[in-house]
Amino acid sequence: MLVAYLAVGALAGLIAGMLGLGGGVVIVPALALVFPLLGIPPAVLMHLAIGTSLAVIVPTSMSSTWAHYKRGAVDGQLLRLLLPGLVPGALLGGWLADKLPSALLARIFGLFVIGVATQIFFNATAPGRRPLPGKTGLLATGSVIGTASTLLGIGGGSLTVPFLNYCRVDMRRAVATSSACGLVLGVLGAAAFLWNGRDHAGLPPGAVGYLYVPAFVGLAAAAVATAPLGARLAHSLPVPTLKRVFAVFLALAGLRMLGVLSF
């Protein structure tokens, strides 16, 4: 299991740094495959996968954000405008996830990542058609991103990057700012899952709330190591081919979460 955690964490960190996706789109489907092998009860399986993913996003986003910040790519003003919506949205998403059954969360996540895969494969994040909205628009957008991110255990980049790029924000600046948003969402989302799962009777040994500590340690160690490499690639290499390969992986993961594939 440690080897699996390290491998998944390394890929998640690379993707987080390079594409600003936070790593949750890799971590959650992977944990959904690994946790049944450990005998983790189905009733809390997806909650633990999402909560653990959010906790891993904290050090991963910190590492990738710092790498982007050193290159001057993080837009601090844009981040400050998104934060008032991200914060309450993240707390709402954590509350909603606790109320939904694990099987429904798996289906929601599966549909979500298939949508993300389609968007990435067909380059839906191409330079946009309209300017950024005003404060009210960014507040509403931040709220939607925050809610969806903690509900699904992602860093928000799957929503933040396409939105910013659609609003004519340079791709590298969008990825860097998305990484910073992911740090905020990871902290708030992980805290919400820790709190909401604190008294659940079906938690396995090694779990603290909806956080499975052994998985967190292995995933975080590898992800922090590879996130700066991903950030360097984002600033030095064209990534269309890598995006399409990753999109195919996401589509397969989404189909597996929906039960269409049995691997």
Side-chain angles (χ1 to χ4, degrees), residues 38-63:
L38 301 176
I40 291 179
V44 295
L45 190 150
M46 279 302 296
H47 296 84
L48 282 169
I50 291 173
T52 303
S53 172
L54 287 166
V56 174
I57 285 170
V58 176
T60 304
S61 295
M62 190 178 299
S63 179

Side-chain angles (χ1 to χ4, degrees), residues 10 32 37 45-46 52 54 59 93 95 101 103 114 117 135 161-162 187 193 214 254:
L37 304 178
L45 190 150
M46 279 302 296
T52 303
L54 287 166
W95 178 82
I114 289 173
K135 290 184 178 179
V161 173
V187 169
F193 271 73

Side-chain angles (χ1 to χ4, degrees), residues 176-193:
T177 306
S178 171
S179 294
C181 291
L183 175 57
V184 176
L185 293 171
V187 169
L188 294 174
F193 271 73

Side-chain angles (χ1 to χ4, degrees), residues 226-256:
T226 58
L229 173 60
R232 285 197 294 274
L233 290 174
H235 287 269
S236 61
L237 294 176
V239 293
T241 301
L242 291 175
K243 281 187 176 182
R244 288 187 171 87
V245 170
F246 184 57
V248 171
F249 169 81
L250 283 183
L252 292 173
L255 291 171
R256 173 64 179 82

Side-chain angles (χ1 to χ4, degrees), residues 18-20 68 71-75 78 125-132 160-179 234-236 243:
M18 184 168 60
L19 301 179
H68 284 296
R71 291 169 173 79
V74 177
D75 191 326
L78 183 54
T125 58
R129 307 169 183 86
R130 54 156 296 167
L132 282 165
T160 308
V161 173
F163 166 72
L164 294 180
N165 209 223
Y166 178 77
C167 295
R168 302 178 186 170
V169 176
D170 173 75
M171 189 64 181
R172 287 189 175 91
R173 189 158 60 101
V175 168
T177 306
S178 171
S179 294
H235 287 269
S236 61
K243 281 187 176 182

